[in-house]
Amino acid sequence: MALYAAAAAVLAGVESRQGSIKGLVYASRFQNVKQLYALVCETQRYSAVLDAVIASAGLLRAEKKLRPHLAKVLVYELLLGRGFRGGAGRWKPLLNRHQARLKAELARLKVHRGVSRNEDLLEVGCRPGLASQVPRFVRVNTLKTCSDNVIDYFKRQGFSYQGRASSLEDLRALKGKCFLLDPLLSELLVFPAQTDLHDHPLYLAGHLILQDKASCLPALLLDPPPGSHVIDACAAPGNKTSHLAALLKNQGKIFAFDLDAKRLASMATLLARTGVSCCQLAEEDFLAVSPSDQRYRQVQYILLDPSCSGSGMVTRQLEEPGAGAPSKERLQALAGFQQRALCHALTFPSLQRLVYSTCSLCQEENEDVVRDALQQSAGTFRLAPVLPSWPHRGLSTFPGAEHCLRASPETTLTGGFFIAVLERAEVPSSVSQAETSAPEHIPSAAPKRKKRRCKAAAAPSAPPRT
Ligand SMILES: C[S@@+](CC[C@H](N)C(=O)[O-])C[C@H]1O[C@@H](n2cnc3c(N)ncnc32)[C@H](O)[C@@H]1O
């Protein structure tokens, strides 16, 4: 299918609520997914402007065979995009006939609204705003390489390494081919917002994981020492599982559960690519996993990152700017599941530490879920005070909620996120104290990093010189 026809079909599907842009783009089987996705997002963003221009130019009245969604995509390309890069075929001469009128209507709209740039025609809520300024964070996979090797590789590719950032301002100022080490996380590199590394050889070889900074915190704050047994309750597609495996140095065991077979299949590919060997994947409902099963008797750490509304996701904010909050019914259903999953996790007999995280900004899925689970645990678990310097804290909806962490493009220059770390207040008699001590710092977050090379055994075959 040609690019414009595919884009029109996706737009029509989104409008009739058949799915998200991303889902429909993948389902379209169009070969160049990135190109199609970008075109649909941009057309969607300018939808109201395009509707106004098309209507006032009388395009659909004059051209009865041109369907509205295709017209929108074509007019986007003609007036706001890069011209007909996708080969508009028979539609090109037709659009060219209307070009002068369409351009005049766009110009008239700008005069009417008192603006000079196309971007200024967007409603405030439809501008990508700060979400588009979130840097590209890149986690170094320490199962395969180390930060020094990766930094050297990028330097050889012509990138300029600026050292360790000292503040978020340094991250905000990143431009061009410059990159930094994150001020808080030692294995996290930071590139300018629009840097695309999906085709980079180090990413394809599993040396890098493209993961937002906020989404790196759950595994770091869970902080399981090598050798421990961990449950990743809702694991696919597996970014956090691969991070846990790196912290465990592949020693110990991760029991990873997910309900979704397709997501588990891509997770298996990710784990293979990133060299994870300590993980057992299971297509299973976490709520049906029995805490008394002997296989999990040594599980002291649980990561619970359940399905959520995704209201904090940067891709969502870019894809559907101005999209409203999730409906009350959806929030209730999600929060019900999240709460059941959290309460269930807290019943694992040897559990010492649990991290609950979502990429939602809604209190119902975050502070409310944690508050209710703590109440039900009747003092057995409490919130651990973590990362005192983190600027954005949980909403003060119950005493201690400030121990939770929040994240957003505005406050932390990351996607929107929520994290709560729960720790057992009393140690069960079956588990000795020595086995259970859980540090509260981020192990790799020390302010200064010694310059050291990867150990030979842990180092990957050197990345090819470019
Ligand atoms: C937010 S995603 C997890 C992302 C993952 N932790 C990562 O970092 O890549 C939530 C996942 O929970 C899974 N899920 C939903 N309900 C579940 C259940 N009852 N048991 C296990 N997994 C479930 C979904 O299929 C989805 O893959």
mmCIF file of all heavy atoms in Angstrom, residues 232-240 257-260 263 284-287 305-307 337, ligand 1:
data_model
loop_
_atom_site.group_PDB
_atom_site.id
_atom_site.type_symbol
_atom_site.label_atom_id
_atom_site.label_comp_id
_atom_site.label_asym_id
_atom_site.label_seq_id
_atom_site.Cartn_x
_atom_site.Cartn_y
_atom_site.Cartn_z
ATOM 1 N N ASP A 232 9.403 -10.373 38.665
ATOM 2 C CA ASP A 232 8.959 -9.233 37.863
ATOM 3 C C ASP A 232 7.534 -9.590 37.445
ATOM 4 O O ASP A 232 7.311 -10.424 36.575
ATOM 5 C CB ASP A 232 9.890 -9.048 36.650
ATOM 6 C CG ASP A 232 9.630 -7.727 35.947
ATOM 7 O OD1 ASP A 232 8.596 -7.103 36.245
ATOM 8 O OD2 ASP A 232 10.457 -7.324 35.110
ATOM 9 N N ALA A 233 6.559 -8.957 38.118
ATOM 10 C CA ALA A 233 5.188 -9.463 38.072
ATOM 11 C C ALA A 233 4.491 -9.207 36.741
ATOM 12 O O ALA A 233 3.694 -10.021 36.298
ATOM 13 C CB ALA A 233 4.387 -8.836 39.215
ATOM 14 N N CYS A 234 4.754 -8.068 36.138
ATOM 15 C CA CYS A 234 4.122 -7.688 34.858
ATOM 16 C C CYS A 234 5.270 -7.239 33.964
ATOM 17 O O CYS A 234 5.579 -6.056 33.883
ATOM 18 C CB CYS A 234 3.136 -6.547 35.086
ATOM 19 S SG CYS A 234 1.753 -7.001 36.136
ATOM 20 N N ALA A 235 5.908 -8.169 33.305
ATOM 21 C CA ALA A 235 7.282 -7.940 32.872
ATOM 22 C C ALA A 235 7.466 -7.452 31.439
ATOM 23 O O ALA A 235 8.458 -6.804 31.128
ATOM 24 C CB ALA A 235 8.081 -9.227 33.057
ATOM 25 N N ALA A 236 6.551 -7.811 30.542
ATOM 26 C CA ALA A 236 6.801 -7.533 29.118
ATOM 27 C C ALA A 236 6.591 -6.047 28.801
ATOM 28 O O ALA A 236 5.742 -5.422 29.423
ATOM 29 C CB ALA A 236 5.856 -8.374 28.269
ATOM 30 N N PRO A 237 7.348 -5.458 27.890
ATOM 31 C CA PRO A 237 8.306 -6.109 26.988
ATOM 32 C C PRO A 237 9.701 -6.338 27.541
ATOM 33 O O PRO A 237 10.571 -6.797 26.820
ATOM 34 C CB PRO A 237 8.354 -5.129 25.816
ATOM 35 C CG PRO A 237 8.072 -3.794 26.427
ATOM 36 C CD PRO A 237 7.106 -4.056 27.547
ATOM 37 N N GLY A 238 9.965 -6.014 28.804
ATOM 38 C CA GLY A 238 11.170 -6.537 29.419
ATOM 39 C C GLY A 238 12.325 -5.582 29.659
ATOM 40 O O GLY A 238 13.391 -6.020 30.087
ATOM 41 N N ASN A 239 12.115 -4.290 29.443
ATOM 42 C CA ASN A 239 13.230 -3.358 29.694
ATOM 43 C C ASN A 239 13.691 -3.422 31.151
ATOM 44 O O ASN A 239 14.888 -3.463 31.442
ATOM 45 C CB ASN A 239 12.812 -1.921 29.365
ATOM 46 C CG ASN A 239 12.905 -1.656 27.881
ATOM 47 O OD1 ASN A 239 13.624 -2.345 27.160
ATOM 48 N ND2 ASN A 239 12.180 -0.659 27.420
ATOM 49 N N LYS A 240 12.707 -3.443 32.055
ATOM 50 C CA LYS A 240 13.099 -3.440 33.472
ATOM 51 C C LYS A 240 13.655 -4.798 33.873
ATOM 52 O O LYS A 240 14.529 -4.889 34.730
ATOM 53 C CB LYS A 240 11.908 -3.027 34.346
ATOM 54 C CG LYS A 240 11.457 -1.604 34.045
ATOM 55 C CD LYS A 240 10.365 -1.123 34.968
ATOM 56 C CE LYS A 240 9.760 0.174 34.455
ATOM 57 N NZ LYS A 240 8.889 -0.017 33.278
ATOM 58 N N PHE A 257 6.638 -12.684 34.815
ATOM 59 C CA PHE A 257 5.290 -13.085 34.377
ATOM 60 C C PHE A 257 4.685 -12.021 33.481
ATOM 61 O O PHE A 257 4.912 -10.823 33.670
ATOM 62 C CB PHE A 257 4.370 -13.265 35.590
ATOM 63 C CG PHE A 257 4.880 -14.278 36.572
ATOM 64 C CD1 PHE A 257 5.512 -13.875 37.744
ATOM 65 C CD2 PHE A 257 4.748 -15.642 36.310
ATOM 66 C CE1 PHE A 257 5.997 -14.809 38.646
ATOM 67 C CE2 PHE A 257 5.235 -16.577 37.209
ATOM 68 C CZ PHE A 257 5.861 -16.167 38.370
ATOM 69 N N ASP A 258 3.894 -12.472 32.544
ATOM 70 C CA ASP A 258 3.046 -11.558 31.778
ATOM 71 C C ASP A 258 1.922 -12.378 31.148
ATOM 72 O O ASP A 258 2.080 -13.576 30.895
ATOM 73 C CB ASP A 258 3.833 -10.818 30.691
ATOM 74 C CG ASP A 258 3.170 -9.486 30.335
ATOM 75 O OD1 ASP A 258 2.153 -9.496 29.616
ATOM 76 O OD2 ASP A 258 3.648 -8.428 30.794
ATOM 77 N N LEU A 259 0.821 -11.681 30.901
ATOM 78 C CA LEU A 259 -0.362 -12.342 30.326
ATOM 79 C C LEU A 259 -0.343 -12.367 28.814
ATOM 80 O O LEU A 259 -1.025 -13.177 28.204
ATOM 81 C CB LEU A 259 -1.609 -11.528 30.720
ATOM 82 C CG LEU A 259 -2.277 -11.797 32.029
ATOM 83 C CD1 LEU A 259 -3.483 -10.874 32.160
ATOM 84 C CD2 LEU A 259 -2.736 -13.240 32.085
ATOM 85 N N ASP A 260 0.415 -11.458 28.233
ATOM 86 C CA ASP A 260 0.287 -11.195 26.809
ATOM 87 C C ASP A 260 1.348 -11.966 26.023
ATOM 88 O O ASP A 260 2.548 -11.657 26.101
ATOM 89 C CB ASP A 260 0.429 -9.675 26.602
ATOM 90 C CG ASP A 260 0.127 -9.243 25.191
ATOM 91 O OD1 ASP A 260 0.587 -9.915 24.254
ATOM 92 O OD2 ASP A 260 -0.573 -8.227 25.034
ATOM 93 N N ARG A 263 3.594 -9.892 23.590
ATOM 94 C CA ARG A 263 4.595 -9.071 24.279
ATOM 95 C C ARG A 263 5.680 -9.957 24.873
ATOM 96 O O ARG A 263 6.858 -9.589 24.910
ATOM 97 C CB ARG A 263 3.927 -8.215 25.355
ATOM 98 C CG ARG A 263 3.132 -7.050 24.768
ATOM 99 C CD ARG A 263 2.217 -6.421 25.783
ATOM 100 N NE ARG A 263 2.895 -5.648 26.800
ATOM 101 C CZ ARG A 263 3.108 -4.332 26.744
ATOM 102 N NH1 ARG A 263 2.694 -3.649 25.709
ATOM 103 N NH2 ARG A 263 3.721 -3.701 27.722
ATOM 104 N N GLU A 284 1.633 -16.078 32.341
ATOM 105 C CA GLU A 284 0.796 -16.395 33.494
ATOM 106 C C GLU A 284 0.206 -15.129 34.095
ATOM 107 O O GLU A 284 0.859 -14.076 34.088
ATOM 108 C CB GLU A 284 1.680 -17.087 34.537
ATOM 109 C CG GLU A 284 1.040 -18.313 35.142
ATOM 110 C CD GLU A 284 2.020 -19.078 36.017
ATOM 111 O OE1 GLU A 284 3.114 -19.419 35.533
ATOM 112 O OE2 GLU A 284 1.662 -19.316 37.189
ATOM 113 N N ASP A 285 -0.990 -15.251 34.629
ATOM 114 C CA ASP A 285 -1.613 -14.149 35.353
ATOM 115 C C ASP A 285 -0.922 -14.051 36.708
ATOM 116 O O ASP A 285 -0.968 -15.008 37.497
ATOM 117 C CB ASP A 285 -3.110 -14.473 35.513
ATOM 118 C CG ASP A 285 -3.854 -13.405 36.284
ATOM 119 O OD1 ASP A 285 -3.210 -12.494 36.832
ATOM 120 O OD2 ASP A 285 -5.098 -13.493 36.328
ATOM 121 N N PHE A 286 -0.312 -12.920 37.001
ATOM 122 C CA PHE A 286 0.409 -12.803 38.271
ATOM 123 C C PHE A 286 -0.522 -13.038 39.458
ATOM 124 O O PHE A 286 -0.109 -13.596 40.482
ATOM 125 C CB PHE A 286 1.085 -11.426 38.373
ATOM 126 C CG PHE A 286 1.701 -11.179 39.714
ATOM 127 C CD1 PHE A 286 2.732 -11.986 40.184
ATOM 128 C CD2 PHE A 286 1.232 -10.156 40.541
ATOM 129 C CE1 PHE A 286 3.296 -11.782 41.450
ATOM 130 C CE2 PHE A 286 1.785 -9.946 41.793
ATOM 131 C CZ PHE A 286 2.812 -10.754 42.251
ATOM 132 N N LEU A 287 -1.785 -12.656 39.293
ATOM 133 C CA LEU A 287 -2.725 -12.837 40.406
ATOM 134 C C LEU A 287 -2.942 -14.315 40.717
ATOM 135 O O LEU A 287 -3.365 -14.666 41.822
ATOM 136 C CB LEU A 287 -4.070 -12.177 40.077
ATOM 137 C CG LEU A 287 -4.038 -10.659 39.902
ATOM 138 C CD1 LEU A 287 -5.406 -10.141 39.472
ATOM 139 C CD2 LEU A 287 -3.597 -9.985 41.187
ATOM 140 N N ASP A 305 5.108 -3.494 37.955
ATOM 141 C CA ASP A 305 4.962 -2.376 37.007
ATOM 142 C C ASP A 305 3.732 -2.697 36.144
ATOM 143 O O ASP A 305 3.850 -3.060 34.980
ATOM 144 C CB ASP A 305 6.250 -2.324 36.164
ATOM 145 C CG ASP A 305 6.280 -1.159 35.194
ATOM 146 O OD1 ASP A 305 5.899 -0.056 35.588
ATOM 147 O OD2 ASP A 305 6.695 -1.360 34.039
ATOM 148 N N PRO A 306 2.544 -2.604 36.743
ATOM 149 C CA PRO A 306 1.352 -3.159 36.085
ATOM 150 C C PRO A 306 0.854 -2.299 34.932
ATOM 151 O O PRO A 306 1.275 -1.153 34.773
ATOM 152 C CB PRO A 306 0.321 -3.144 37.215
ATOM 153 C CG PRO A 306 0.708 -1.989 38.060
ATOM 154 C CD PRO A 306 2.210 -1.900 37.996
ATOM 155 N N SER A 307 -0.074 -2.852 34.167
ATOM 156 C CA SER A 307 -0.743 -2.071 33.125
ATOM 157 C C SER A 307 -1.350 -0.841 33.781
ATOM 158 O O SER A 307 -1.874 -0.913 34.897
ATOM 159 C CB SER A 307 -1.871 -2.887 32.506
ATOM 160 O OG SER A 307 -1.341 -4.014 31.866
ATOM 161 N N PHE A 337 -7.274 -3.439 39.415
ATOM 162 C CA PHE A 337 -6.270 -4.466 39.128
ATOM 163 C C PHE A 337 -4.949 -4.150 39.846
ATOM 164 O O PHE A 337 -4.321 -5.017 40.457
ATOM 165 C CB PHE A 337 -6.038 -4.593 37.613
ATOM 166 C CG PHE A 337 -4.786 -5.344 37.282
ATOM 167 C CD1 PHE A 337 -4.672 -6.695 37.592
ATOM 168 C CD2 PHE A 337 -3.692 -4.706 36.707
ATOM 169 C CE1 PHE A 337 -3.499 -7.400 37.325
ATOM 170 C CE2 PHE A 337 -2.526 -5.392 36.435
ATOM 171 C CZ PHE A 337 -2.432 -6.746 36.742
HETATM 172 C C1 LIG B 1 3.462 -1.425 31.932
HETATM 173 S S1 LIG B 1 3.602 -2.939 31.140
HETATM 174 C C2 LIG B 1 5.095 -3.584 31.813
HETATM 175 C C3 LIG B 1 6.338 -2.985 31.242
HETATM 176 C C4 LIG B 1 7.566 -3.733 31.656
HETATM 177 N N1 LIG B 1 7.684 -3.776 33.115
HETATM 178 C C5 LIG B 1 8.840 -3.123 31.078
HETATM 179 O O1 LIG B 1 9.515 -2.354 31.758
HETATM 180 O O2 LIG B 1 9.167 -3.415 29.932
HETATM 181 C C6 LIG B 1 2.406 -3.887 31.930
HETATM 182 C C7 LIG B 1 2.367 -5.320 31.527
HETATM 183 O O3 LIG B 1 1.503 -6.013 32.427
HETATM 184 C C8 LIG B 1 0.940 -7.099 31.743
HETATM 185 N N2 LIG B 1 -0.199 -7.606 32.553
HETATM 186 C C9 LIG B 1 -1.445 -7.098 32.666
HETATM 187 N N3 LIG B 1 -2.169 -7.827 33.520
HETATM 188 C C10 LIG B 1 -1.370 -8.817 33.988
HETATM 189 C C11 LIG B 1 -1.542 -9.894 34.898
HETATM 190 N N4 LIG B 1 -2.710 -10.091 35.525
HETATM 191 N N5 LIG B 1 -0.499 -10.724 35.134
HETATM 192 C C12 LIG B 1 0.693 -10.528 34.495
HETATM 193 N N6 LIG B 1 0.897 -9.528 33.627
HETATM 194 C C13 LIG B 1 -0.108 -8.683 33.364
HETATM 195 C C14 LIG B 1 0.585 -6.517 30.395
HETATM 196 O O4 LIG B 1 0.446 -7.529 29.424
HETATM 197 C C15 LIG B 1 1.795 -5.606 30.142
HETATM 198 O O5 LIG B 1 2.745 -6.271 29.357
#
